[in-house]
Amino acid sequence: MRVASRPVSIYHSAGGDFMKSMNEKSKSATNKGVINNKSKHKNKSKQNSQKISTKKLTELSIFTSVAMILSYVEALLPSVGVPGVKLGLANIAVIFILYRFGWREAAAVSLVRVLLVSLLFGSIPAMIYSIAGAMLSLIVMVLLKRTDTFSSVGVSVAGGVSHNAGQVATAAFMLGAKEIAYYMPVLVISGIVAGILVGLCGAALIKYVKN
């Protein structure tokens, strides 16, 4: 009986070791599969993020170029006889970027546009006036947009008026001529008209440009 009991003990021991080894291999394979899936998911997310960043950078570059072209085209248009009265066509790109991406991107596009256009086609004083008007305009538009009360056209109108106000205030300060403020009523009216035009164009872009 003692001799017969040894093979049984050896058999059970070998079977237990075999099953234990199989379980460990199975767990190891499962863990590897989980790790591989996580790694694939991370790589896929990283690739998607890179694609989005590339797409965003491309769009910002395109609309910065569009804003510069519109600024140049506007400079070629005949003057209406009143200093400071402009359509502000470049703001079409700015308001579109503001609604599509956010204020940071809109500020970047606006600033780059003003700097490049001033350096290529303008002067240092013109650049200072443009920066003052563009920054005040953007601040007002961002604040009104956050209220969710005004449409893109209303935001654009406020931006147009504040743009002219910023330029007049800067000119009055730099030149020491308070008489420039007498232009303000005319510039308010022109800002409203230009703001409506820019806002309608910007609203059309926001509506029809797909993700």
Side-chain angles (χ1 to χ4, degrees), residues 68 111-128 130-131:
M68 290 183 62
L111 183 60
V112 170
R113 191 267 307 177
V114 168
L115 290 175
L116 292 179
V117 169
S118 298
L119 291 174
L120 293 174
F121 312 115
S123 59
I124 298 300
M127 180 175 66
I128 296 174
S130 296
I131 290 176

Side-chain angles (χ1 to χ4, degrees), residues 1-17:
M1 293 296 290
R2 291 179 182 174
V3 175
S5 65
R6 289 181 181 176
V8 176
S9 176
I10 293 172
Y11 172 78
H12 283 293
S13 177
D17 292 342

Side-chain angles (χ1 to χ4, degrees), residues 93-209:
V94 175
I95 197 167
F96 171 76
I97 294 298
L98 175 62
Y99 276 84
R100 184 169 176 81
F101 295 113
W103 71 267
R104 291 181 179 86
E105 291 80 0
V109 169
S110 181
L111 183 60
V112 170
R113 191 267 307 177
V114 168
L115 290 175
L116 292 179
V117 169
S118 298
L119 291 174
L120 293 174
F121 312 115
S123 59
I124 298 300
M127 180 175 66
I128 296 174
Y129 299 148
S130 296
I131 290 176
M135 291 301 101
L136 180 60
S137 173
L138 184 62
I139 290 171
V140 171
M141 289 194 295
V142 169
L143 293 176
L144 292 183
K145 178 179 177 292
R146 287 183 176 179
T147 64
D148 291 328
T149 303
F150 300 90
S151 66
S152 58
V153 176
V155 170
S156 176
V157 168
V161 174
S162 58
H163 186 281
N164 290 341
Q167 288 191 327
V168 168
T170 304
F173 175 77
M174 291 183 62
L175 301 176
K178 296 180 181 180
E179 294 80 7
I180 297 177
Y182 292 134
Y183 283 111
M184 199 58 211
V186 177
L187 294 179
V188 168
I189 295 173
S190 67
I192 292 173
V193 174
I196 292 173
L197 175 62
V198 169
L200 290 173
C201 294
L205 278 175
I206 294 166
K207 182 177 179 180
Y208 293 109
V209 174

Side-chain angles (χ1 to χ4, degrees), residues 38-52:
K38 288 182 178 179
S39 179
K40 290 179 180 179
H41 181 70
K42 287 182 179 179
N43 291 334
K44 188 175 181 179
S45 299
K46 187 176 180 180
Q47 290 175 356
N48 291 335
S49 177
Q50 289 175 347
K51 288 180 180 179
I52 293 173

Side-chain angles (χ1 to χ4, degrees), residues 22-38:
M22 291 297 292
N23 288 335
E24 289 177 353
K25 289 182 180 180
S26 177
K27 288 180 180 179
S28 177
T30 302
N31 292 334
K32 287 182 180 178
V34 171
I35 293 172
N36 289 334
N37 288 335
K38 288 182 178 179

